[in-house]
Amino acid sequence: MRNISIMIVGVGGQGTLLTSRVVGAAAVKAGYDVKMSEVHGMAQRGGSVITYVRIGKSVNSPIIEKGEADILLCFEKLEALRWVDYVKKTGTIIINDQQIDPMPVIIGKAKYPDDILEKIRGKFSGVRVIDALEVARRLGNIKVLNIVMVGLMAKSTEIEKEIWHEAIRETVKAKFVDLNLKAFDEGYQLAGGTV
Amino acid sequence: MKEILLGNMAIALGAVHAGVKVVSGYPGTPSTEVLESVVQYNRDGRIQVEWSTNEKAALEIAAGASYCGARSMVTMKQVGLNVASDPLMSLGVIGTKGGMVVVVADDPGPISSQTEQDTRHFGKFANIPVLDPSSPEEAYEMAKYAFELSEKLKLPVILRPTTKVCHSSGTVETGGSIYEYEPEGFVKDPRWVIFPPLSYRRHLEIEKQQNEISELFDSLPFNRIEGEGEYGIAAGGVTYAIVKDIVEAFGLKVTLLKSGAVFPPPNGLYEEFLNRVQRVLVLEELDPVIEEQLYQVMAIRNLQRPISGKMNGFVTPAGELKFDNTLKIIEKFLGVEMSDTAVTPPMELPMRAPVLCAGCPHRASFYAVKKAMHGKKAVFCGDIGCYTLGNGKPLEMTDTCLCMGAGITIAQGIKKAEPDTYAFAFIGDSTFFASGMTGLANAVYNQTDINVIILDNSTTAMTGHQPHPGTGRTMMGTMTQKIDIYSVAKALNVGFVERLNPFDQEKSIETVKKAAEYEGVSVLIFEAPCITLIRPQTTFRIQNCTGCRKCLREIGCPAMSVRDNRVEINDALCYGCGLCVKVCPTGCIQQEVQS
């Protein structure tokens, strides 16, 4: 059982909090010790949000250092670029191909960086890009883009699909369970998994 | 059964297992989820849980319950304890009966707070024991133990987690049973009435008690020495966990002192630690509390060990201790290089600071006041809540922000010093009930011509939508009478009071102008629910945009962006508030027809 460090980054409101809870619940079910950190309050309001999940046999702190993350799950491209230095050279980076302009860009005081995906691909080989928003839209609720991303990521872990399903059932509100399971399966299939 | 619990949930569960019967608090990041989690564990309603109007009220409620022998808990963030410090200081003298735990969450960084203050000082100030958990697991154990300790000492106990414990999750054994007992009830006794002679007598007793508690803390499992080596590292809180990770990852030969029950200091254990090592590094967030305690032991015991910490500038005095900077400090202390020192140059990326949500009614309220006061000499005093974000570009409608409720009174001070200024104060509904009403009464009483804008979004939005006296809901799940802000303002003899819908911009602008010219205190209540309480009704789209970007310059809605020189609306973010329609000079923004 090797230790795995996962970072989930995005824009406040994109569902990073729920995502980390699903990942954490799945890891506990799979028998790992888990530490994770979340962001609440002021920072959540449309700000840059980052969540750490560390799983392994025994974990003391929830903090991940630069160059240590095995998996970086990014809900937005600029946030992917902002945190990419935290990923190991051999790490996996999964990016939702979505651009959300931060306020300095909206009001014309800054420019949204060009060629983000190319820049990241230039440094890392394990990069996977997906339009999760489109998948979620097709499923009828754009909010589930986070769980589509979890499905995609799940294939990169040693945790079995059934455990992920259980974690989703326990973590999301009852009336959204089916939709979220569907979202997970979509992502899982995109990563080459069978459902 | 092992479950993954948020630190704040672990504290709640610890309290529930300890048989807590009354829980009160006021929301504040990072403490809020403690009380909310108690509600989750309280399906049978055996625990009385309430959001109080502010922290002072909350602490006194918990104290009253403790006087009856019931175990009680009060929750707040660090700045909340400033508000509750009056009852806390006196309670440290009077003491308690049923176990009483004061949960105060500190916020190194600060991430979501006005100040980086360190609650451990309050323990010393009020002679109240302080427990400082390093993980969610330990937070659970400490919460349970804190009730026992409080009952044993007949003193309240402060449980002081920090953000990285409150909002971290860990695996906690949750199968514990609930401690059963029958509270004795309130017994009339002079000990509950604070008078100077009693206060003097208690002071003598409490000072003596400090030494006994210190000895008790020497052998608590929360305080311990691990490993060996002439280099000693003392750490507390989540920093201990980070140091432990580093020590294990790099196989460091150091003596590690963990200080968890941190006040009164475990002096015996500190002395043992100092005797085992040649030099010391102290790693703790916020103030150098453990460091000062170690210096004190050295002075009393005539020991000499060089200490590296905040007091000699070895460790940064402010902000969080993260993995990277902690590792660098340890490397410097040990004189070794462990990490890859190749520093990648930081990327110049556009910042993504928090902003008012798309569709947020505060944006419309700020915009109406901005338009109404255009070209006039006006100061806009803000307060604590989501609407503090009104300071950002392009609105720039928050000129001051100090602490809860201060906007209304700061505006009065400005008006007194600068009578030709239009002094505005913005305050949210929950903050108004917490500490705005006394300020408003003050303005009326002292005849200070200020304009108060109450941003009533029917919830405590910033901390995650807690009910308050104006919502008609309680934390026991019951309905209650709503306290109507309009009637409160009227009852306080405010001469000009009006309710407004901020999305009716024309009427809002016109009314703000009238209120500004009204001689005397005016109160305008902008009523529109927080977007998280409603479903988006519709979305808007832009056709034939001329690219003038007035909408972006004026209101800065996060759902709008420019693509190919045309403004676009992101339908995933738009809530359909329609404020942009009123700003667009060419009428090119239309409501999306739902198919």
Side-chain angles (χ1 to χ4, degrees):
Chain A
M1 194 184 274
R2 72 188 179 91
N3 282 14
I4 306 173
S5 296
I6 303 168
M7 277 175 74
I8 304 164
V9 301
V11 178
Q14 281 192 303
T16 53
L17 206 65
L18 182 75
T19 307
S20 63
R21 288 183 180 172
V22 169
V23 175
V28 173
K29 284 183 185 305
Y32 290 98
D33 186 24
V34 179
K35 284 278 188 303
M36 56 187 196
S37 75
E38 304 177 352
V39 174
H40 295 233
M42 168 76 89
Q44 265 178 297
R45 302 279 171 268
S48 170
V49 171
I50 166 173
T51 304
Y52 303 96
V53 185
R54 295 186 67 210
I55 63 183
K57 191 157 179 245
S58 165
V59 189
N60 293 305
S61 88
I63 312 298
I64 296 170
E65 74 165 316
K66 276 189 185 159
E68 271 300 300
D70 296 279
I71 300 172
L72 178 66
L73 194 62
C74 321
F75 293 180
E76 202 273 344
K77 285 192 290 187
L78 172 58
E79 296 314 307
L81 189 59
R82 199 188 302 283
W83 299 103
V84 78
D85 283 349
Y86 278 74
V87 186
K88 274 183 187 158
K89 277 281 157 246
T90 54
T92 303
I93 303 172
I94 304 169
I95 305 170
N96 174 31
D97 190 6
Q98 192 185 349
Q99 171 176 345
I100 300 176
D101 288 354
M103 197 50 68
V105 173
I106 291 175
I107 62 172
K109 300 278 180 212
K111 190 173 168 297
Y112 195 92
D114 292 322
D115 311 324
I116 287 178
L117 299 177
E118 288 67 28
K119 280 176 188 152
I120 295 173
R121 283 191 178 115
K123 284 192 201 170
F124 297 88
S125 54
V127 182
R128 179 81 202 242
V129 181
I130 174 190
D131 189 344
L133 184 66
E134 193 44 48
V135 177
R137 209 186 292 275
R138 188 152 44 74
L139 291 170
N141 189 334
I142 51 178
K143 292 245 176 241
V144 297
L145 87 87
N146 57 349
I147 303 300
V148 175
M149 298 285 288
V150 171
L152 201 64
M153 183 197 77
K155 273 297 281 177
S156 316
T157 67
E158 292 165 8
I159 302 169
E160 285 168 22
K161 194 186 74 193
E162 284 65 32
I163 292 181
W164 287 102
H165 274 203
E166 260 181 71
I168 290 169
R169 276 194 204 95
E170 276 181 21
T171 313
V172 308
K173 281 195 188 135
K175 63 175 174 176
F176 295 121
V177 165
D178 288 344
L179 177 66
N180 278 285
L181 288 177
K182 227 185 270 175
F184 176 87
D185 287 350
E186 285 277 341
Y188 198 75
Q189 274 172 315
L190 282 170
T194 48
V195 293
Chain B
M1 178 180 133
K2 280 215 162 178
E3 267 184 89
I4 182 148
L5 290 190
L6 194 66
N8 281 344
M9 287 180 83
I11 292 171
L13 187 66
V16 169
H17 284 168
V20 72
K21 293 201 188 289
V22 176
V23 180
S24 51
Y26 188 78
T29 311
S31 71
T32 312
E33 301 79 11
V34 177
L35 189 141
E36 289 179 327
S37 304
V38 173
V39 172
Q40 284 181 34
Y41 293 120
N42 190 33
R43 298 243 158 77
D44 57 359
R46 60 194 279 159
I47 306 168
Q48 289 290 320
V49 192
E50 69 165 53
W51 283 126
S52 309
T53 47
N54 64 25
E55 294 86 353
K56 171 173 152 64
L59 195 138
E60 289 153 358
I61 283 153
S66 164
Y67 288 3
C68 298
R71 290 189 167 186
S72 68
M73 177 166 78
V74 55
T75 74
M76 64 195 71
K77 69 183 295 179
Q78 88 284 37
V79 286
L81 188 59
N82 300 340
V83 177
S85 62
D86 193 5
L88 183 83
M89 294 304 293
S90 295
L91 199 62
V93 175
I94 279 284
T96 50
K97 186 160 98 181
M100 176 173 163
V101 178
V102 183
V103 178
V104 186
D106 281 354
D107 186 23
I111 298 167
S112 241
S113 302
Q114 304 92 296
T115 67
E116 259 204 306
Q117 67 190 61
D118 193 322
T119 295
R120 291 176 298 175
H121 291 305
F122 258 112
K124 188 175 178 190
F125 194 17
N127 285 317
I128 290 172
V130 181
L131 305 179
D132 181 14
S134 62
S135 67
E137 294 90 321
E138 195 175 46
Y140 170 80
E141 295 298 335
M142 280 188 175
K144 267 204 324 195
Y145 175 72
F147 287 92
E148 278 174 45
L149 181 67
S150 167
E151 247 158 52
K152 181 179 172 143
L153 303 173
K154 297 197 169 12
L155 285 177
V157 171
I158 293 175
L159 179 62
R160 194 250 358 195
T162 56
T163 308
K164 281 281 184 290
V165 172
C166 292
H167 291 161
S168 290
S169 302
T171 39
V172 180
E173 181 64 52
T174 56
S177 58
I178 297 174
Y179 172 68
E180 299 285 350
Y181 64 103
E182 201 52 55
E184 186 190 22
F186 185 77
V187 179
K188 296 188 185 197
D189 186 318
R191 74 172 270 216
W192 300 121
V193 185
I194 194 160
F195 268 121
L198 171 67
S199 202
Y200 169 74
R201 226 173 37 245
R202 283 287 296 153
H203 195 183
L204 293 174
E205 288 169 13
I206 288 163
E207 290 299 338
K208 187 164 160 270
Q209 207 180 5
Q210 299 302 307
N211 296 329
E212 293 161 17
I213 305 169
S214 174
E215 276 173 32
L216 175 72
F217 281 4
D218 280 340
S219 54
L220 275 190
F222 306 132
N223 296 330
R224 57 181 183 262
I225 298 170
E226 298 170 353
E228 55 186 62
E230 61 182 87
Y231 285 86
I233 302 178
V238 74
T239 309
Y240 160 78
I242 294 172
V243 172
K244 179 107 172 146
D245 266 337
I246 292 172
V247 168
E248 284 177 0
F250 296 97
L252 303 182
K253 204 168 150 17
V254 295
T255 306
L256 185 54
L257 169 72
K258 176 188 177 304
S259 189
V262 67
F263 185 84
N267 290 326
L269 190 76
Y270 282 3
E271 188 180 348
E272 190 188 330
F273 169 72
L274 289 165
N275 278 325
R276 283 203 209 172
V277 300
Q278 293 303 316
R279 53 190 65 244
V280 176
L281 170 66
V282 188
L283 285 166
E284 58 191 317
E285 289 179 316
L286 302 174
D287 291 337
V289 171
I290 298 170
E291 193 177 340
E292 279 180 17
Q293 291 172 340
L294 286 170
Y295 273 114
Q296 202 171 323
V297 170
M298 288 204 301
I300 292 170
R301 294 292 173 201
N302 213 4
L303 293 167
Q304 290 238 327
R305 300 284 180 277
I307 295 186
S308 298
K310 297 196 178 208
M311 292 166 78
N312 68 346
F314 199 86
V315 178
T316 170
E320 287 183 283
L321 283 174
K322 296 179 179 175
F323 199 104
D324 312 40
N325 53 359
T326 306
L327 182 62
K328 294 230 154 39
I329 293 165
I330 292 177
E331 283 178 346
K332 197 167 128 196
F333 174 64
L334 299 178
V336 294
E337 275 189 13
M338 302 180 286
S339 57
D340 178 9
T341 46
V343 183
T344 44
M347 287 177 280
E348 290 284 327
L349 297 179
M351 294 288 290
R352 195 190 297 276
V355 289
L356 293 173
C357 302
C360 175
H362 298 336
R363 179 177 289 104
S365 304
F366 282 129
Y367 191 61
V369 178
K370 187 173 183 173
K371 293 298 266 186
M373 298 316 291
H374 181 73
K376 301 247 167 77
K377 188 182 177 191
V379 176
F380 305 107
C381 300
D383 220 296
I384 307 290
C386 286
Y387 48 95
T388 317
L389 297 171
N391 79 319
K393 282 183 193 311
L395 287 170
E396 299 182 292
M397 284 296 287
T398 305
D399 297 325
T400 75
C401 178
L402 186 67
C403 63
M404 288 282 286
I408 291 179
T409 19
I410 292 278
Q412 292 167 47
I414 287 172
K415 186 72 185 176
K416 283 190 189 299
E418 244 182 82
D420 65 337
T421 298
Y422 291 94
F424 277 80
F426 290 87
I427 187 166
D429 41 350
S430 182
T431 307
F432 179 71
F433 287 114
S435 49
M437 293 191 293
T438 47
L440 186 56
N442 190 69
V444 174
Y445 168 53
N446 288 301
Q447 299 171 293
T448 310
D449 183 5
I450 58 161
N451 308 291
V452 178
I453 308 285
I454 298 175
L455 303 166
D456 182 0
N457 61 359
S458 304
T459 189
T460 317
M462 177 60 87
T463 46
H465 310 102
Q466 292 73 29
H468 61 67
T471 62
R473 288 175 292 119
T474 73
M475 285 310 267
M476 294 303 286
T478 57
M479 302 299 278
T480 179
Q481 200 177 7
K482 286 185 187 179
I483 300 179
D484 175 41
I485 296 174
Y486 181 91
S487 307
V488 170
K490 280 284 185 192
L492 290 174
N493 276 346
V494 175
F496 188 112
V497 189
E498 286 226 28
R499 293 189 158 104
L500 292 164
N501 170 5
F503 294 111
D504 183 346
Q505 284 280 301
E506 257 174 49
K507 188 181 174 197
S508 295
I509 293 168
E510 190 191 319
T511 314
V512 172
K513 284 180 181 167
K514 275 191 213 160
E517 297 312 327
Y518 175 80
E519 282 189 25
V521 180
S522 68
V523 169
L524 300 181
I525 308 156
F526 280 102
E527 294 177 328
C530 175
I531 54 154
T532 56
L533 303 179
I534 51 167
R535 281 168 185 280
Q537 301 98 337
T538 179
T539 58
F540 286 80
R541 67 189 169 131
I542 302 180
Q543 277 180 323
N544 308 319
C545 173
T546 62
C548 78
R549 307 189 189 193
K550 187 183 178 201
C551 49
L552 305 180
R553 282 196 311 273
E554 297 270 306
I555 58 172
C557 172
M560 304 182 103
S561 54
V562 180
R563 299 283 182 273
D564 302 328
N565 230 7
R566 298 273 176 277
V567 178
E568 277 183 5
I569 293 174
N570 180 345
D571 68 340
L573 295 171
C574 178
Y575 259 77
C577 75
L579 183 64
C580 53
V581 178
K582 287 150 195 155
V583 176
C584 177
T586 60
C588 64
I589 306 177
Q590 278 105 34
Q591 195 163 336
E592 182 82 51
V593 181
Q594 301 286 328
S595 55

